[in-house]
C-alpha cells in the first residue's frame, strides 16, 4: 500500500513539470524545421533539448516502475510506455524521438485527473496536426518531385489527412512520408471514433436522465391520483355518516 501511495505521489508531483518539458520539446523540434537556415548552435541546442526531454520521460518511467507494487504487471500494463523508452535507443532517428515523446506525453496526460476527455482529444488533435505537419515537411521538403514545400502546405495536408478527406492536391512521395500519412490517418480515425462515442454517450445519458425524470413525474402523478381518490372516498364516507345522523329516528330503525 505504501509503494502504491508513493507511485501516486510521484505521478501527481511530476505531472506539471513533464508537460512543461513536452512544450520545450515541441519548440525544439519545430525550430530547426521552420528555420532550417538557423545557426549551427541553435540546431545543437534543439537536438540536446529533444534528447533531454526524452531522457526525462524515460527516467519517469523507470521511477514509476521502481515504485510500482507489481513491476511485471506494470510492464505488461504499460507496453506503449516501454516501447517509447526503448525505441530511440534502437535507431537514434529524430522521428523516433518525436514518436516516443508523443507516446509518453499522451500516456501521462491521460493519467491527469484534471484533464477531461474533451480537453485530451482537443489537445491530441492539435498536437498530431502540428507534429504531423512538421514531420512531413522535414521529410518531403527536399524530396525530388515532392509537392509539400512550405509549412502551409504541410498544415493543409495534415488537416485533410486527419479528417480522412484527402483532396490529393498535396501528398507525400517518399516512403517515410507515406508512413507518416498512414499513422496520421489511423490517428484521425481513432480520434474521430472517440469524439463520436463521446457525443453518443452524452446523448444517451441525456435521454436516460429525461426518461428518469419522466418516470419520476409519472409516479408522482399516480401517487397524487391515488391520494385524491382516497380523499374523495373519505369525504363520501363522512358525508354519508352525517346524512344518516341528521335523519330523526334513523338510529331506532
Amino acid at each position: 500500500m505504501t509503494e502504491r501511495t508513493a507511485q501516486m505521489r510521484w505521478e501527481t508531483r511530476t505531472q506539471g513539470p513533464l508537460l512543461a518539458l513536452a512544450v520545450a520539446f515541441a519548440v525544439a523540434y519545430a525550430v530547426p524545421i521552420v528555420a532550417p537556415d538557423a545557426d549551427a548552435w541553435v540546431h545543437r541546442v534543439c537536438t540536446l533539448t529533444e534528447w533531454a526531454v526524452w531522457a526525462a520521460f524515460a527516467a519517469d518511467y523507470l521511477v514509476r516502475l521502481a515504485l510500482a507494487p507489481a513491476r511485471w504487471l506494470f510492464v505488461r500494463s504499460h507496453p506503449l510506455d516501454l516501447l517509447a523508452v526503448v525505441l530511440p535507443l534502437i535507431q537514434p532517428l529524430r522521428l523516433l524521438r518525436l514518436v516516443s515523446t508523443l507516446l509518453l506525453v499522451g500516456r501521462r496526460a491521460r493519467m491527469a485527473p484534471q484533464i477531461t476527455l474533451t480537453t485530451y482529444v482537443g489537445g491530441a488533435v492539435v498536437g498530431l496536426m502540428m507534429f504531423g505537419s512538421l514531420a512531413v515537411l522535414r521529410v518531403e521538403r527536399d524530396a525530388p518531385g515532392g509537392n509539400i514545400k512550405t509549412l502551409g502546405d504541410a498544415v493543409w495536408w495534415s488537416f485533410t489527412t486527419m479528417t480522412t478527406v484527402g483532396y490529393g492536391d498535396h501528398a507525400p512521395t517518399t516512403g517515410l512520408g507515406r508512413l507518416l500519412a498512414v499513422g496520421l490517418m489511423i490517428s484521425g480515425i481513432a480520434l474521430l471514433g472517440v469524439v463520436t462515442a463521446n457525443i453518443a454517450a452524452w446523448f444517451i445519458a441525456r435521454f436516460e436522465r429525461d426518461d428518469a425524470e419522466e418516470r419520476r413525474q409519472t409516479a408522482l402523478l399516480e401517487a397524487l391520483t391515488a391520494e385524491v381518490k382516497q380523499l374523495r372516498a373519505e369525504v363520501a364516507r363522512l358525508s354519508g355518516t352525517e346524512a344518516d345522523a341528521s335523519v330523526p329516528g334513523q338510529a331506532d330503525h
Side-chain angles (χ1 to χ4, degrees):
M1 187 66 181
T2 304
E3 292 179 342
R4 184 184 299 274
T5 304
Q7 179 186 355
M8 295 174 62
R9 286 201 307 267
W10 170 265
E11 292 174 351
T12 303
R13 190 178 299 119
T14 58
Q15 191 72 47
L18 288 178
L19 293 179
L21 287 176
V23 175
F25 177 87
V27 175
Y29 184 82
V31 167
I33 299 176
V34 177
D37 299 329
D39 295 337
W41 68 269
V42 175
H43 288 266
R44 285 196 298 270
V45 169
C46 291
T47 301
L48 290 176
T49 302
E50 292 176 15
W51 278 111
V53 173
W54 169 83
F57 276 94
D60 172 70
Y61 174 83
L62 294 177
V63 171
R64 288 191 292 134
L65 175 63
L67 296 176
R71 296 178 182 177
W72 177 239
L73 180 61
F74 179 86
V75 172
R76 287 190 302 172
S77 59
H78 298 78
L80 292 180
D81 292 29
L82 179 61
L83 179 64
V85 170
V86 175
L87 197 60
L89 298 177
I90 300 174
Q91 180 66 40
L93 291 176
R94 199 156 184 260
L95 184 59
L96 292 183
R97 291 202 302 276
L98 169 64
V99 174
S100 64
T101 305
L102 284 177
L103 288 174
L104 290 171
V105 171
R107 292 288 295 178
R108 288 308 302 268
R110 281 199 300 272
M111 293 189 309
Q114 69 272 19
I115 296 180
T116 62
L117 178 61
T118 303
T119 305
Y120 176 76
V121 171
V125 169
V126 174
L128 285 173
M129 282 189 61
M130 181 183 70
F131 285 112
S133 302
L134 294 172
V136 79
L137 179 61
R138 179 180 176 85
V139 171
E140 295 290 325
R141 181 161 48 194
D142 300 325
N147 56 10
I148 302 177
K149 301 296 185 182
T150 66
L151 183 60
D153 295 338
V155 172
W156 173 250
W157 170 83
S158 294
F159 187 82
T160 56
T161 301
M162 280 199 66
T163 55
T164 66
V165 175
Y167 284 110
D169 50 350
H170 294 289
T173 58
T174 64
L176 189 55
R178 289 170 179 170
L179 184 62
L180 284 170
V182 171
L184 206 58
M185 284 185 284
I186 294 175
S187 302
I189 293 172
L191 288 173
L192 182 61
V194 171
V195 172
T196 304
N198 193 28
I199 294 174
W202 182 84
F203 275 111
I204 291 174
R206 182 63 181 269
F207 291 151
E208 288 179 349
R209 287 198 301 269
D210 292 343
D211 290 341
E213 181 65 20
E214 185 177 353
R215 288 194 298 269
R216 189 184 70 83
Q217 292 180 357
T218 302
L220 181 61
L221 288 175
E222 290 177 351
L224 290 175
T225 302
E227 186 175 353
V228 169
K229 289 181 178 180
Q230 291 177 357
L231 289 175
R232 286 179 176 177
E234 184 67 18
V235 169
R237 185 181 65 79
L238 292 175
S239 299
T241 303
E242 292 178 356
D244 291 342
S246 63
V247 177
Q250 183 72 31
D252 297 336
H253 294 284

